[in-house]
Amino acid sequence: MKRSLVFWLGLIIVSLSCSMIAGSSPSEKFQQSALPQQAPSKTYYVRIDGSSAQNCTGLVDAPYPGSGANQACAWDHPFRALPPTGTPLIVGGDTLIIGAGSYRMGYGAPGAANCDAGGAFDCLMPPIPSGPDAAHPTRILGAGWNTGCASPPQLWGAERPWFIVNLTDSSNVEIGCLEITDHSPCVESHSGGLACERDTPPYGNWASYGLYAEDSSNVYLHDLNVHGLASGGVHAGRLSNWTVERVRIAGNGSAGWDGDLWDDNGDSNSGNLIFRHFTVEWNGCGETYPGQQPTGCWAQSAGGYGDGFATGTSGGNWLIEDSLIRYNTSDGLDFLYVSQPGSSITIRRTVVEGNAGNQVKTFRGPFLLESSIIVGNCGFFDGQPFTYNVDNCRALGTALAIGLAGGDQAIITNNTFTSEGDCLVTAECEGSCGGSETVLLRNNIFQGQTDFLQPFEQTCLVYQETFASNPFNMDYSLVNNVKEDACFGSHSMCGVSPGLTNISADNFDANLLQASPAIDAADNASCAVKDVRGLSRPLDGDQDGVSVCDMGAYEGPAIATTFADVPADHWAWQYIERLYQAGITGGCGISPLIYCPSVPVTRAQVAIFILRGIHGSVYAPPPATGAVFSDVPSGSFAADWIEQLAAEGVTAGCGGGNYCPDSSITRAQMAIFLLRGEHGSDYTPPPATGTVFGDVPTDSFAADWIEQLALEGITAGCGGGNYCPGFPVTRAEMAVFLVRAFDLP
């Protein structure tokens, strides 16, 4: 049985269902009505022990008391706020907090009385009302959204609704901290025995898609797990300025992210389409319930589809960073239809592996791929127990298939490639090309394999046949085991083993060994700023006193990490290591040594961290008197530190003569602590402008301090143009704040 592993990747097995939906697009049924905007906005609550909109106002996070109408309590289901075939009870700019638990979405759910069994596919929430502007979005959030989202509420589809979350014509919206799925292993229109019941109710506990969107702008999706749907995870087109962070799309039967809307209005996207910490895996397979294991994986050879991520004909500036795209039954990242002038694609620090077609394909430039690992083990599904029918190495299984229009440029730098497809990299002219088109290849590692479809030969290095002149400009590359021993560039190393941890296609590990010839062998002028782990480059890999860039996705050999729960690919790894080396922290537990990066920091703990940041790791404050704060007696945890923090003018407490030592410190409060610690108690920041973060208007608490923190480069916010001032600071975030504020080595 084949297995393909890349450094950090633990196999998260998800099952997917695979098929296209027949019939007309559901989008024709929705048009957002003009709703009055409500000022100020309100926050509504849903919880399992709430009740109907007649019994509860929804404005209080409390259970229904058991009797009476219009009580101060939460609603019992998201459909109370967004009733199928009805008018939303929330308006643009409101927030809906969905409590922990599992919520059936579709026919038979609370609030779905207007739905009927035969037409259950139309039992859908109405479009989420648009926020009044980008700075005041309508928010649909799971409980825990502001404390790490450890246990998101589950929205699960039943009785074959077209989709679960509706963003038709919805703009200025934030959706976060939700699990979106169904409770059936069926795959829509599957040809191998897993097909869903589509003709006669009851249809079963399945839904076609998790999220649907069209004509939608300024949307922020975060902390979502969209998995196990009968057809696809996300069906979305005609988008503008979307940001997607910490979203997983997995185990969906037809495709992961499908950008073809199937209507006559086109699919084209525009603006900035940003995807960070984005995982797309196991799409084109069924997902067992409740086991969440892959089953019945299928692709176009059996009537399925299988792309992990694909668009319709589109424009837009696409950014993929720090992401993982793997084990989809056709292409991994299919940008072949991002073809409109002015569009661009940038991929950084991303692992793409084990997809049965091309790992990455594009239509036109400009295109940038850097510090990424591309593993074209396109025969991954061959002979696997979860495979029904997958066409291995579809489209010849080329790892990177680049399209260029006239005059276009592609820059491929500091990546590690391997492939058992026909070629590692191909280029094709799209339209009319005049000879100025270029594929610049620098600082890459190319490891060939035996061609899966033609095992009598090796993978080719690069290939083109449609340009007036050769577009490939290769140098400072390490090339090994490719067809006809092709190799180009006066500074390249040819036919040399790259010195990787594992070079086999099925267990590829791109980490550099200590003696790898790729270390300190690249071109500094072309060096990417960070490696695939987010570590700065170049480094002095051979310890000769000169920092020279390494070839490939990694800068330097595999790294021994200090904390068992903070691997080298953790987004804050560098900062946490620096905090430890500076003696500011010893972690949160031993045997093994752990740091607890996602745990919120208390106000007591932050007193220790701030004072050590100011005075150094050996600093010890004077003994506490117990007379400064009512809730900080002299013998309590961190009492000495808390009183000294007050003595230095960094804090005056939390009000009422108290310090609130056990409360989490918010990101707004942290801004004040850091700047007073850095500049002294008399420091006053300049007035806020209200233009730095969308959720920090000029009159909000600590706005001056927050904007100054950004101005000093200590923070870039929490994503989506926001700062999240009310969020608690996690230990990982604290490490970043302290290292940057106090310039720790």
Side-chain angles (χ1 to χ4, degrees):
M1 179 182 296
K2 293 189 174 184
R3 289 290 182 268
S4 179
L5 305 176
V6 178
F7 75 103
W8 75 68
L9 308 181
L11 186 60
I12 303 172
I13 300 218
V14 191
S15 4
L16 327 179
S17 17
C18 181
S19 79
M20 297 302 293
I21 299 174
S24 61
S25 168
S27 63
E28 300 168 4
K29 307 178 187 306
F30 292 101
Q31 296 292 330
Q32 276 218 17
S33 57
L35 296 175
Q37 296 301 315
Q38 188 167 315
S41 60
K42 295 182 178 181
T43 298
Y44 293 90
Y45 298 91
V46 167
R47 48 190 288 167
I48 296 295
D49 55 2
S51 190
S52 67
Q54 290 71 41
N55 291 336
C56 293
T57 63
L59 292 168
V60 180
D61 187 12
Y64 179 54
S67 63
N70 202 35
Q71 299 291 305
C73 50
W75 295 324
D76 61 354
H77 195 277
F79 278 171
R80 304 299 190 185
L82 298 161
T85 73
T87 301
L89 297 189
I90 62 172
V91 300
D94 283 344
T95 296
L96 180 68
I97 306 294
I98 302 173
S102 178
Y103 300 86
R104 176 187 177 107
M105 304 294 291
Y107 178 75
N114 290 333
C115 298
D116 66 271
F121 43 83
D122 279 337
C123 193
L124 314 165
M125 68 166 63
I128 294 171
S130 296
D133 53 54
H136 301 88
T138 305
R139 303 192 301 165
I140 311 296
L141 303 170
W145 64 279
N146 56 350
T147 56
C149 191
S151 300
Q154 182 187 87
L155 308 185
W156 62 276
E159 294 301 305
R160 64 158 299 194
W162 283 109
F163 44 77
I164 295 172
V165 175
N166 189 354
L167 286 172
T168 302
D169 299 322
S170 298
S171 296
N172 307 319
V173 172
E174 175 185 352
I175 300 176
C177 193
L178 296 172
E179 179 185 5
I180 302 172
T181 186
D182 66 21
H183 287 180
S184 171
C186 78
V187 176
E188 200 160 10
S189 302
H190 195 270
S191 60
L194 294 179
C196 304
E197 172 57 56
R198 301 184 81 251
D199 299 324
T200 306
Y203 302 111
N205 292 331
W206 63 275
S208 291
Y209 280 86
L211 183 149
Y212 181 86
E214 64 175 54
D215 303 307
S216 174
S217 62
N218 300 321
V219 167
Y220 179 37
L221 304 181
H222 61 91
D223 303 293
L224 302 178
N225 185 9
V226 186
H227 68 95
L229 282 305
S231 192
V234 174
H235 194 189
R238 300 198 295 274
L239 313 178
S240 180
N241 297 320
W242 272 42
T243 297
V244 178
E245 295 182 323
R246 300 179 303 279
V247 170
R248 176 175 180 258
I249 300 177
N252 301 294
S254 175
W257 183 294
D258 183 358
D260 185 350
L261 294 181
W262 318 331
D263 63 19
D264 297 327
N265 299 317
D267 308 305
S268 186
N269 308 287
S270 62
N272 296 322
L273 295 311
I274 299 170
F275 297 78
R276 294 191 175 102
H277 303 284
F278 184 46
T279 298
V280 182
E281 58 186 356
W282 296 103
N283 296 290
C285 302
E287 182 179 271
T288 62
Y289 177 80
Q292 297 186 26
Q293 302 297 304
T295 185
C297 299
W298 66 324
Q300 296 189 36
S301 55
Y305 179 23
D307 276 358
F309 182 97
T311 72
T313 301
S314 181
N317 300 303
W318 298 81
L319 173 65
I320 311 286
E321 289 185 329
D322 306 299
S323 296
L324 174 61
I325 316 295
R326 63 178 180 179
Y327 312 145
N328 300 287
T329 63
S330 191
D331 298 327
L333 289 172
D334 184 354
F335 286 113
L336 185 61
Y337 295 97
V338 178
S339 56
Q340 294 175 346
S343 58
S344 66
I345 298 166
T346 298
I347 302 172
R348 295 190 180 101
R349 301 181 301 278
T350 290
V351 175
V352 189
E353 72 157 331
N355 303 289
N358 302 132
Q359 305 307 306
V360 180
K361 64 168 56 171
T362 70
F363 182 90
R364 67 174 307 145
F367 170 56
L368 172 66
L369 176 70
E370 69 175 25
S371 292
S372 294
I373 300 172
I374 312 298
V375 183
N377 54 327
C378 52
F380 170 77
F381 286 92
D382 187 53
Q384 300 277 27
F386 44 71
T387 300
Y388 160 57
N389 188 326
V390 173
D391 36 341
N392 299 303
C393 298
R394 184 177 180 275
L396 300 180
T398 295
L400 174 61
I402 302 170
L404 295 176
D408 279 349
Q409 311 295 312
I411 299 175
I412 316 299
T413 183
N414 281 111
N415 305 285
T416 300
F417 292 89
T418 194
S419 179
E420 61 185 1
D422 187 52
C423 289
L424 288 157
V425 181
T426 62
E428 184 171 352
C429 171
E430 305 291 353
S432 177
C433 296
S436 63
E437 302 76 31
T438 301
V439 179
L440 184 70
L441 298 145
R442 292 289 187 274
N443 301 349
N444 300 293
I445 293 175
F446 297 99
Q447 173 64 43
Q449 304 286 345
T450 299
D451 189 319
F452 184 88
L453 297 178
Q454 301 183 119
F456 53 85
E457 63 182 9
Q458 302 304 106
T459 303
C460 87
L461 175 59
V462 296
Y463 181 79
Q464 72 83 25
E465 61 178 17
T466 57
F467 292 90
S469 59
N470 181 13
F472 292 110
N473 180 340
M474 177 185 290
D475 204 356
Y476 289 95
S477 295
L478 192 157
V479 183
N480 187 47
N481 194 38
V482 298
K483 185 176 181 179
E484 299 177 350
D485 296 322
C487 190
F488 309 99
S490 60
H491 302 92
S492 293
M493 289 183 278
C494 307
V496 176
S497 178
L500 306 183
T501 300
N502 195 318
I503 62 172
S504 69
D506 300 326
N507 297 285
F508 194 75
D509 187 335
N511 274 288
L512 301 175
L513 298 174
Q514 289 285 348
S516 170
I519 294 174
D520 280 15
D523 176 26
N524 274 359
S526 304
C527 191
V529 175
K530 295 181 179 180
D531 81 348
V532 69
R533 297 163 295 193
L535 304 183
S536 297
R537 58 194 322 173
L539 299 175
D540 181 11
D542 59 7
Q543 306 299 309
D544 66 351
V546 181
S547 295
V548 179
C549 190
D550 297 346
M551 292 178 178
Y554 283 102
E555 185 71 11
I559 296 172
T561 60
T562 300
F563 297 104
D565 58 348
V566 186
D569 62 302
H570 188 281
W571 69 271
W573 176 82
Q574 287 188 81
Y575 297 96
I576 293 169
E577 291 286 337
R578 290 166 68 179
L579 203 68
Y580 176 78
Q581 295 299 327
I584 307 298
T585 183
C588 66
I590 58 175
S591 297
L593 186 64
I594 57 175
Y595 181 75
C596 306
S598 62
V599 173
V601 183
T602 67
R603 290 171 56 88
Q605 293 167 338
V606 86
I608 301 173
F609 290 126
I610 292 287
L611 289 174
R612 284 182 176 166
I614 296 171
H615 301 294
S617 61
V618 298
Y619 175 74
T625 64
V628 178
F629 296 111
S630 299
D631 57 352
V632 185
S634 59
S636 61
F637 171 72
D640 302 348
W641 302 86
I642 292 168
E643 289 196 4
Q644 183 62 24
L645 199 70
E648 296 190 15
V650 177
T651 183
C654 62
N658 294 320
Y659 180 75
C660 306
D662 297 326
S663 297
S664 299
I665 189 167
T666 68
R667 289 172 58 87
Q669 295 166 343
M670 192 69 173
I672 301 173
F673 278 38
L674 289 169
L675 291 176
R676 282 183 176 162
E678 180 187 9
H679 299 296
S681 60
D682 294 332
Y683 176 73
T684 301
T689 64
T691 61
V692 177
F693 296 111
D695 57 352
V696 184
T698 56
D699 59 349
S700 61
F701 171 71
D704 301 348
W705 303 85
I706 292 168
E707 290 197 3
Q708 182 62 24
L709 203 69
L711 183 65
E712 295 188 15
I714 298 171
T715 184
C718 63
N722 295 322
Y723 180 75
C724 305
F727 281 34
V729 176
T730 66
R731 289 173 58 88
E733 293 170 335
M734 179 200 64
V736 179
F737 281 139
L738 292 175
V739 167
R740 289 177 175 172
F742 299 112
D743 196 24
L744 299 177

